[in-house]
Amino acid sequence: MIKVEHLAKRYAEAYAVNDISFEVKEGEILGLLGPNGAGKTTTMRILTCYMPATSGTATVAGFDVFKNSVDVRKNIGYLPENVPLYPEMRVKEYLSFRAKLKRVPHRERKTKIADAVDRCRIVDVQNQIIGTLSKGYRQRVGLADALVHDPKILILDEPTIGLDPNQIRQVRQLIKELGEKHTILLSTHILPEVEMLCGRVIIINKGKIVAMDTPANLESQLKADNHIALEVRGNGEKIKNALSGIKGVRRVTWRDKGEIANFAVESEKGTDVREEIFSSVVKNNGIIREMTLAPITLEEVFHQITTQEQEVTA
Amino acid sequence: MRCTGTIFQREISAYFLSPVAYVVIAVFMIFSGYFFSVMLGITQETTLRYSLAYTQFILSILTPVITMRLFAEENKTGTIEPLMTAPVTDFVVVFGKFLAAWALYNVMIVPTAFYIIFLAWVGNPDYGAIIASYIGLVLMGGLFISIGLLVSAVTKNQIVAAVIGIVALLILLVIGLASAGNEGWFYSSVRYIGTYDHWETFTKGVVDTRDVIYYVSFTALLLFVVVRIVESRRWR
Ligand SMILES: Nc1ncnc2c1ncn2[C@@H]1O[C@H](COP(=O)(O)OP(=O)(O)OP(=O)(O)O)[C@@H](O)[C@H]1O
Ligand SMILES: [Mg+2]
């Protein structure tokens, strides 16, 4: 439904998006994950034809974003970051204005608006002036606008930002429901959101894709590599060498703090070396003060991937 | 094209939901009424011609106030983003906004009909000249609004849009006045570009096709430029 090839966007000083390619399949919910300034909004603005790419191509619903802009826009519902709305209008008025702009036929307009209002749970505020709405309700009005014309594709830029925990849960539930009928591209920097909602994640950092997989795969890639944290009293150098010798251990890093040393042991996928570690430490006259299994969460994957990248570029 | 009406409707309701429309109309009524009564007192002629000559000056100041928000506000608040990502062409957006501002402008000049009633009551005005003046007013409004729209499209700041618009319109007015009485191709072409000469013809009761063409084509040209400016955000 969305196909992006070698897309790049250059602002005056630097590239905000630099040579990214990905695809969103029909019915998929794809999460665009990245820290501030990663280029998520820029990517979405290109896909929604708000701004052109410097180079590369993108097709949305089979139409080129550059050549068939209007056709692309007919097929998408877009929730821009910060949800700009006309403050002087009433919610229902606004949705009716948007539905007309998006060419919802006159006889369907009423039901489509009522449906969007209902799904986004803004029935109570539908006659309120937008300027007086709270942030969370504005967000939902934006969401109602995005889906009022029942588009094939939804592009949502940080749909849950600024909401309270209850509202976050409701909006996620809503997105999940929408995912059954629509293809969704959403951006966020909240990891649990991606884990909950998305079939696939793209992690982008500084305008480049640094990882692309299912949330589960991203996690298990590293989760199966057991990471064990160890605190030991004893001869750090000696124990380190002993640990490195254990079968299945890939990497040992350690930090000496005088009598006590901290180790991080990384072992191969599916191996459990905790017992071997115990006996080998004891053999070398070490006393184990702490041993914990540290399975990597998506959070850490994200942190690792994005900070690694920074170290490389720094 | 169908969406032009949708844009038009929203802009009109935005005008009347904010104080701007009422303030502009009130200010216009005060000044046009003042010039009307003063000129009537001085000339003792039952005509709008002299007061309308001053009216162009007020309109040069008020029209940019009408147009300042059209794009600048959307650029500032970011509502331009949902607007431009809706399936409407740039022309439709520009034209809808233009028509809304033009409609407000025409609403603004409607109360001057009271002066005609007054003239008819005290004497026997030349209705042909009055009708011609109104045709001129409406056409001039179109031009002023397209200039204001252009300025609004290139900024985020409404005040900047209004000030530049006012300056541009006053320049257009002044160059015509300043070169009056001078001969030669230079002065006559400056006078042709300036709005004053064209407008004066209408107030004299003459609807000259050359003046109509001047206003209509100048307006169309500017609207074309505005569409290009709005479109340019999508250019590579
Ligand atoms: N109009 C602009 N002019 C110049 N640089 C810009 C412009 N818009 C964005 N940028 C830069 O492009 C980069 C990517 O910005 P973008 O808004 O796409 O990030 P993001 O991933 O959406 O971040 P966030 O999570 O903060 O929303 C940033 O470094 C930003 O400063
Ligand atoms: Mg962003």
Side-chain angles (χ1 to χ4, degrees), chain A residues 26 78 133 145 232 282 303 306:
Chain A
E26 186 157 5
Y78 177 39
L133 291 178
D145 164 30
V232 175
V282 170
H303 180 74
T306 53

Side-chain angles (χ1 to χ4, degrees), chain B residues 92-231:
Chain B
V92 162
V93 172
V94 170
F95 200 53
K97 283 176 182 281
F98 169 80
L99 288 181
W102 202 16
L104 176 62
Y105 170 96
N106 290 326
V107 167
M108 177 173 79
I109 60 176
V110 162
T112 57
F114 175 78
Y115 312 141
I116 304 165
I117 296 168
F118 182 80
L119 290 179
W121 181 55
V122 297
N124 195 12
D126 174 358
Y127 290 106
I130 288 173
I131 290 169
S133 302
Y134 275 88
I135 292 173
L137 264 183
V138 170
L139 288 175
M140 188 170 72
L143 174 60
F144 283 14
I145 282 157
S146 59
I147 290 172
L149 195 61
L150 184 128
V151 179
S152 184
V154 295
T155 177
K156 278 185 178 187
N157 188 317
Q158 293 192 47
I159 306 299
V160 169
V163 171
I164 296 177
I166 290 168
V167 170
L169 291 184
L170 289 179
I171 287 173
L172 265 188
L173 170 65
V174 169
I175 56 168
L177 283 173
S179 52
N182 292 300
E183 294 303 320
W185 65 270
F186 176 75
Y187 290 107
S188 60
S189 46
V190 168
R191 275 212 306 280
Y192 182 77
I193 294 166
T195 47
Y196 191 80
D197 274 21
H198 303 284
W199 163 234
E200 204 190 17
T201 324
F202 284 108
T203 62
K204 285 177 189 157
V206 181
V207 181
D208 190 330
T209 31
R210 277 174 304 180
D211 301 317
V212 175
I213 287 170
Y214 164 83
Y215 282 120
V216 172
S217 56
F218 203 172
T219 305
L221 174 72
L222 284 163
L223 287 181
F224 175 77
V225 173
V226 180
V227 172
R228 289 284 130 149
I229 288 172
V230 171
E231 213 176 59

Side-chain angles (χ1 to χ4, degrees), chain B residues 6-82:
Chain B
T6 310
I7 303 273
F8 173 82
Q9 227 174 26
R10 195 206 82 78
E11 294 295 339
I12 287 287
S13 70
Y15 273 128
F16 287 100
L17 286 171
S18 83
V20 174
Y22 304 101
V23 170
V24 166
I25 290 173
V27 170
F28 180 74
M29 280 172 73
I30 290 166
F31 280 95
S32 65
Y34 173 77
F35 288 125
F36 173 73
S37 57
V38 168
M39 294 318 283
L40 190 66
I42 294 171
T43 63
Q44 298 288 322
E45 278 183 48
T46 54
T47 172
L48 288 178
R49 191 176 154 189
Y50 304 109
S51 57
L52 285 180
Y54 287 94
T55 305
Q56 191 190 355
F57 177 72
I58 313 163
L59 290 174
S60 301
I61 291 169
L62 290 181
T63 317
V65 176
I66 294 178
T67 54
M68 64 181 184
R69 52 165 286 280
L70 290 173
F71 278 106
E73 190 179 42
E74 305 226 34
N75 287 338
K76 178 121 188 172
T77 61
T79 49
I80 193 78
E81 194 171 348

Side-chain angles (χ1 to χ4, degrees), chain A residues 49-314:
Chain A
C49 311
Y50 180 63
M51 50 164 68
T54 312
S55 61
T57 58
T59 54
V60 175
F63 299 104
D64 186 283
V65 291
F66 191 67
K67 296 190 196 104
N68 306 95
S69 162
V70 173
D71 292 312
V72 168
R73 287 181 273 157
K74 268 183 204 160
N75 285 296
I76 54 168
Y78 177 39
L79 175 74
E81 192 174 24
N82 305 324
V83 201
L85 303 166
Y86 298 115
E88 76 279 354
M89 288 180 111
R90 288 176 195 281
V91 172
K92 216 161 172 184
E93 239 172 27
Y94 178 71
L95 291 177
S96 155
F97 164 69
R98 296 292 298 176
K100 281 186 217 161
L101 272 195
K102 294 170 176 190
R103 307 182 199 187
V104 177
H106 182 72
R107 64 205 136 68
E108 291 171 32
R109 212 174 291 150
K110 243 190 162 136
T111 48
K112 286 250 166 92
I113 293 170
D115 189 41
V117 162
D118 195 44
R119 284 211 270 180
C120 299
R121 296 173 187 90
I122 47 175
V123 181
D124 303 344
V125 298
Q126 58 181 319
N127 293 315
Q128 204 169 320
I129 291 166
I130 290 173
T132 67
L133 291 178
S134 71
K135 169 79 180 134
Y137 276 101
R138 291 171 51 90
Q139 195 84 19
R140 294 194 215 183
V141 173
L143 211 53
D145 164 30
L147 52 92
V148 71
H149 56 309
D150 206 13
K152 283 192 213 145
I153 299 167
L154 286 170
I155 296 183
L156 313 172
D157 200 350
E158 302 193 14
T160 58
I161 197 166
L163 302 182
D164 71 37
N166 272 332
Q167 292 185 334
I168 287 181
R169 197 166 338 144
Q170 284 175 15
V171 168
R172 282 182 190 160
Q173 187 55 41
L174 174 63
I175 292 173
K176 217 165 193 171
E177 283 167 30
L178 292 171
E180 287 160 17
K181 274 177 58 197
H182 306 258
T183 304
I184 302 179
L185 176 66
L186 64 86
S187 83
T188 179
H189 25 79
I190 308 166
L191 291 146
E193 194 155 291
V194 165
E195 284 178 292
M196 257 183 61
L197 294 174
C198 304
R200 229 148 42 90
V201 203
I202 291 177
I203 299 183
I204 78 171
N205 189 35
K206 299 202 162 171
K208 289 200 180 258
I209 293 183
V210 288
M212 172 156 50
D213 215 328
T214 63
N217 273 356
L218 276 179
E219 253 179 70
S220 67
Q221 245 176 28
L222 293 131
K223 194 176 186 173
D225 287 349
N226 286 329
H227 283 240
I228 296 159
L230 207 62
E231 190 176 289
V232 175
R233 183 191 295 278
N235 184 338
E237 192 72 47
K238 212 164 105 191
I239 295 169
K240 191 224 158 198
N241 291 335
L243 291 177
S244 303
I246 297 172
K247 191 168 171 281
V249 168
R250 281 212 315 220
R251 196 154 61 109
V252 180
T253 49
W254 73 295
R255 204 171 60 229
D256 205 355
K257 287 196 291 190
E259 292 195 358
I260 293 168
N262 282 311
F263 298 87
V265 182
E266 200 183 314
S267 64
E268 253 146 47
K269 272 185 196 180
T271 56
D272 188 349
V273 291
R274 278 172 294 178
E275 289 171 15
E276 286 89 337
I277 287 174
F278 183 88
S279 48
S280 117
V281 170
V282 170
K283 241 185 259 164
N284 287 287
N285 304 321
I287 302 167
I288 293 182
R289 290 162 52 88
E290 191 184 329
M291 173 149 64
T292 48
L293 192 57
I296 285 214
T297 61
L298 198 49
E299 195 111 24
E300 281 168 77
V301 176
F302 179 63
H303 180 74
Q304 266 189 17
I305 289 172
T306 53
T307 49
Q308 263 169 22
E309 190 74 9
Q310 267 160 16
E311 277 157 21
V312 170
T313 51

